[in-house]
Amino acid sequence: MLRQITIGDLLDETAGRYPEKEALVYQERGLRYSFAQFQEICNQAARGFMSLGIQKGENIAIWATNVPEWVISQYATAKMGGVLVTVNTSYRTHELEYLLRQSESTTLLLIDSYRDADYVGMVREICPELANCEPGNLQSARLPHLKNVIYIGEERQPGMFLWRDLLERSAQVAEEERKARQQTLLPDEVINMQYTSGTTGFPKGVMLSHSNIVNNAIKVAECQRLGMEDRVCIPVPFFHCFGCVMGTLACVATGATMVPVTAFDPGLVLSIVEQERCTALYGVPTMFIAELNHPSFAERDLSSLRTGIMAGSLCPIEVMKNVVHKMGIRDITIAYGQTESSPVITQTVPNDSIERKVETVGRVHEGVEAKVIDPITGETLPPGVQGELCTRGYLVMKGYYNMPEQTAKTIDSDGWLHTGDLATVDEEGYYRITGRLKDMIIRGGENIYPREVEEFLYTHPHILDVQIVGVPDTVYGEQVLACIRVKPGETLTEQDVLSYCEGKIARYKIPKYIQFIDEYPMTASGKIQKFKLREYAIHAFGLPGAGSTETA
């Protein structure tokens, strides 16, 4: 049964049910809010946004790590009708300017910096007018829609409000006025906008409604059997659906406690899980790999862990087995989807067999349709035959912001969202994701699916992680490149890898090129950027196209 409720009303409902229960815990900062306290601070911030003259439907961008103000802003904007535009924490000036202009955001919240990125400096570079304007009166030549910049920090910044200013300004708006605004919001209206990574072409703003993400959060929680007694450690970034839908929203939907990690650090995650007795842990495969291989792992008491989600990219079988057996997360679930589907389409459940959990991405959520089609003819394929996965139902986005042509290419006239992912489905409805349409390697007429080769190489005892990428070849069109991370303390040679493959996989699937690397180029949401691995290899091996700027 789907719910027709806005995010603001959902928070009010949960706060009414569990007012004294812990809603939000930042163990790093000693910050703890009950649901009643969290509701109150969100209402206050909502009035603060309204005091700036922000109307229902205006776009409010946030560029920050998983700080408390991020999750407060998520619910505050949802209560006053602002559309929260989430900004990737790894963006730089060009990407930020594009997003703010394309989204027509009128307000930007930001922290000082992250890693080696000076956020404040970049915003000043794009908007030099900040140096001499009053907060709230920005008139930017490059960003004509942007009026308000709000700094999440203590030190006064020219032309910007401080977060505390926003909270203080809330006194200018009556609570009755905020309530009246919240009552005008409808479940089917857009309330969240997330930009796709843009690895091919310009990023697109995915428009998601209250109904899209509330119902997806509920289904995600149901698959984990989350309840008010659960405590969910959330080290995945809020700017991605994994953090702000599957994480914070799933907690509010069930009364579970949100236990975010401001920025991912494997040792910190293990410490927080142990000290806060978290019952659920989220992560992409690379995060779980880092935690399993952290020097302190063996000393940690992780016995409170019961469930969680591994998602965001294809989940290696060996990693999944280690999470179940070494971390003890017996009810771990695998979720699959994409931002355009709010995000989860399929998910395993706790009582699925270990084989189901390591070999599939589960079955479709209740209320969701899916099919596997021939990407050329559009014909629905029978079980066991590989094709493109399509989905339909409440979870399909409202479209790409100001991009009707791109929307029409992704959602067909019958309402099916075309994922671009290759998949098979078995007789019992369990899906296997076998790769991306665009990642498929065609070597001399033979189709090679990277996932298949990756799963084989994961069985090598010295391989920690591996990514298979297609690289150009003048004779065969493409060849196979293996980018390998070796387990700490182990050694591995190119010949070792080739010998391991010989006689076990078809010769045309054996990597022609092997690179040993320490880290993969990643998006801030933990997705490996295969197109960059391809670029590196083209130059490193002097392959065709090495002198051009063409990318995958």
Side-chain angles (χ1 to χ4, degrees), residues 31 165 179 201 221 234 278 291 336 386 408 412 528:
L31 183 151
D165 298 335
K179 284 181 181 177
I234 312 171
C278 292
E291 291 151 11
Y336 157 76
Q386 180 175 255
D412 67 27
I528 294 165

Side-chain angles (χ1 to χ4, degrees), residues 270-339:
L270 294 171
S271 175
I272 288 174
V273 167
E274 181 178 43
Q275 293 181 45
E276 292 296 328
R277 306 304 293 158
C278 292
T279 60
L281 175 61
Y282 286 7
V284 297
T286 51
M287 290 180 173
F288 283 103
I289 289 169
E291 291 151 11
L292 286 159
N293 287 277
H294 192 268
S296 72
F297 177 77
E299 306 159 18
R300 298 293 184 181
D301 177 4
L302 308 179
S303 58
S304 59
L305 286 173
R306 173 186 67 82
T307 188
I309 302 173
M310 192 191 298
S313 61
L314 298 176
C315 305
I317 287 172
E318 291 304 311
V319 175
M320 184 65 170
K321 288 178 178 176
N322 286 336
V323 168
V324 172
H325 298 301
K326 293 183 178 179
M327 298 185 87
I329 313 180
R330 61 191 181 280
D331 292 343
I332 188 79
T333 68
I334 279 191
Y336 157 76
Q338 55 185 209
T339 307

Side-chain angles (χ1 to χ4, degrees), residues 52-63:
L52 297 177
I54 300 173
Q55 299 300 309
K56 172 181 173 178
E58 278 191 39
N59 293 336
I60 301 171
I62 183 164
W63 195 25

Side-chain angles (χ1 to χ4, degrees), residues 215-226 242 245-247 250 280-282 307-311 320 331-337 342-353 356-357 360-366 368 370 389 394-395 428-433:
N215 283 293
N216 204 260
I218 289 169
K219 300 305 178 188
V220 163
E222 286 175 353
C223 283
Q224 297 175 84
R225 298 178 182 162
L226 286 185
F242 201 170
V245 178
M246 300 157 71
L281 175 61
Y282 286 7
T307 188
I309 302 173
M310 192 191 298
M320 184 65 170
D331 292 343
I332 188 79
T333 68
I334 279 191
Y336 157 76
S342 303
V344 177
I345 301 169
T346 69
Q347 193 171 353
T348 61
V349 293
N351 61 354
D352 278 330
S353 68
R356 294 291 194 197
K357 289 183 180 181
T360 81
V361 291
R363 293 186 282 194
V364 293
H365 278 173
E366 179 190 8
V368 172
L389 177 63
Y394 80 85
L395 75 174
E428 296 179 64
Y430 285 85
Y431 284 81
R432 288 174 172 81
I433 305 303

Side-chain angles (χ1 to χ4, degrees), residues 465-487:
D465 207 350
V466 58
Q467 296 296 316
I468 297 296
V469 182
V471 293
D473 185 83
T474 54
V475 176
Y476 290 97
E478 284 188 292
Q479 288 282 9
V480 177
L481 162 72
C483 299
I484 295 171
R485 292 177 63 203
V486 180
K487 287 182 178 178

Side-chain angles (χ1 to χ4, degrees), residues 109-181:
L109 297 100
L110 77 157
I111 57 173
D112 180 66
S113 60
Y114 175 54
R115 293 180 178 162
D116 61 344
D118 177 1
Y119 286 8
V120 171
M122 284 189 267
V123 171
R124 286 175 178 159
E125 181 181 334
I126 297 168
C127 301
E129 299 90 347
L130 278 170
N132 299 303
C133 79
E134 287 294 314
N137 290 317
L138 176 63
Q139 294 184 337
S140 167
R142 291 160 73 172
L143 299 172
H145 290 92
L146 189 63
K147 301 302 175 191
N148 310 299
V149 179
I150 302 169
Y151 177 62
I152 300 171
E154 296 300 319
E155 191 176 330
R156 186 67 61 183
Q157 304 290 336
M160 303 183 193
F161 292 108
L162 294 179
W163 175 260
R164 67 171 179 265
D165 298 335
L166 183 78
L167 298 181
E168 289 169 1
R169 288 177 61 96
S170 66
Q172 299 175 22
V173 176
E175 177 63 6
E176 291 72 23
E177 187 180 345
R178 186 207 59 76
K179 284 181 181 177
R181 173 78 69 88

Side-chain angles (χ1 to χ4, degrees), residues 511-527:
K512 167 79 170 177
Y513 303 100
I514 295 172
Q515 278 189 318
F516 295 103
I517 58 179
D518 295 325
E519 297 292 338
Y520 296 124
M522 311 265 283
T523 67
S525 55
K527 292 187 178 182

